[in-house]
C-alpha cells in the first residue's frame, strides 16, 4: 500500500468535482444484438433504451434499470473482459442470484470482500459482472 493511501473504510473522500457514475460500457461482438437482449432484458430484467439520435449511427445497445445503465459497444476483434468488470450494487442480492440460477446462468459467490456479500456471473459474451451488497443492506433485506 502506498504511503498516502487511506484505510478502506474511510468515507470522507470528496472532490470539488462531484464525481458520480452515469454508465458502464462493455464490449460485444458484431451482429449479436439478439443475444444481448436475451441476457440483459430477459435474464437480468433491464430495459433496452434508444440511444440519442446523434448516436444512432453507432452500433451497439443501451440498457437501463433502476440507477444502472449499461452500454454495449461493438468491437470487431471482440474479447470478453474476464478480469475487468463493473461492480453493481444490489439491494436484493439473494433474489438476483436466484433469478440467475433459474435462468441457467452460473453464479460464483465470493466472500473475500469484508463488509460485503458478492457474486460474479458472465454475461452472454463472457464479460464478467460483479453484483454486491453491503452486509448491512443484506441484513435488512432478509
Amino acid at each position: 500500500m502506498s504511503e498516502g493511501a487511506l484505510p478502506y473504510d474511510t468515507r470522507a473522500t470528496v472532490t470539488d468535482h462531484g464525481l458520480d457514475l452515469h454508465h458502464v460500457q462493455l464490449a460485444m461482438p458484431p451482429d449479436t444484438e439478439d443475444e444481448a437482449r436475451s441476457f440483459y432484458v430477459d435474464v437480468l430484467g433491464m430495459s433496452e433504451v434508444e440511444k440519442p439520435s446523434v448516436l444512432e449511427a453507432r452500433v451497439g445497445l443501451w440498457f437501463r434499470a433502476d440507477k444502472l445503465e449499461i452500454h454495449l459497444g461493438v468491437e470487431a476483434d471482440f474479447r470478453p473482459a474476464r478480469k475487468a468488470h463493473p461492480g453493481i450494487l444490489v439491494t436484493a442480492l439473494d433474489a438476483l442470484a436466484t433469478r440467475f440460477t433459474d435462468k441457467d446462468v452460473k453464479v460464483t459467490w465470493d466472500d473475500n470482500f469484508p463488509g460485503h456479500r458478492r457474486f460474479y456471473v458472465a454475461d452472454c459474451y463472457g464479460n464478467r459482472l460483479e453484483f454486491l451488497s453491503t452486509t448491512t443492506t443484506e441484513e435488512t433485506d432478509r
Side-chain angles (χ1 to χ4, degrees), residues 103-115:
K103 302 279 187 172
D104 296 321
V105 175
K106 182 183 177 194
V107 171
T108 303
W109 288 93
D110 179 356
D111 61 358
N112 292 319
F113 190 4

Side-chain angles (χ1 to χ4, degrees), residues 4-138:
L6 299 172
Y8 177 76
D9 59 358
T10 301
R11 295 289 175 225
T13 56
V14 178
T15 71
D16 294 335
H17 313 294
L19 300 175
D20 205 338
L21 185 66
H22 179 272
H23 69 275
V24 171
Q25 177 145 342
L26 300 170
M28 64 185 276
D31 303 315
T32 60
E33 287 81 0
D34 288 341
E35 290 90 334
R37 290 181 183 103
S38 290
F39 182 83
Y40 286 94
V41 174
D42 299 338
V43 174
L44 190 50
M46 300 182 81
S47 297
E48 183 177 354
V49 294
E50 295 178 354
K51 291 187 254 180
S53 58
V54 68
L55 299 174
E56 283 178 356
R58 298 180 185 180
V59 291
L61 299 169
W62 289 10
F63 299 97
R64 184 182 298 150
D66 303 315
K67 296 180 180 179
L68 176 64
E69 193 163 308
I70 296 176
H71 298 178
L72 295 176
V74 172
E75 289 186 3
D77 61 344
F78 170 78
R79 289 183 310 151
R82 298 192 194 283
K83 182 71 172 170
H85 61 275
I88 301 167
L89 289 171
V90 179
T91 57
L93 193 65
D94 292 317
L96 183 59
T98 299
R99 180 180 176 100
F100 280 125
T101 301
D102 289 348
K103 302 279 187 172
D104 296 321
V105 175
K106 182 183 177 194
V107 171
T108 303
W109 288 93
D110 179 356
D111 61 358
N112 292 319
F113 190 4
H116 296 80
R117 293 182 64 231
R118 66 180 176 173
F119 65 81
Y120 299 97
V121 301
D123 75 0
C124 52
Y125 306 116
N127 292 314
R128 184 180 192 181
L129 303 174
E130 176 183 346
F131 296 91
L132 70 158
S133 179
T134 61
T135 52
T136 55
T137 301
E138 270 299 299

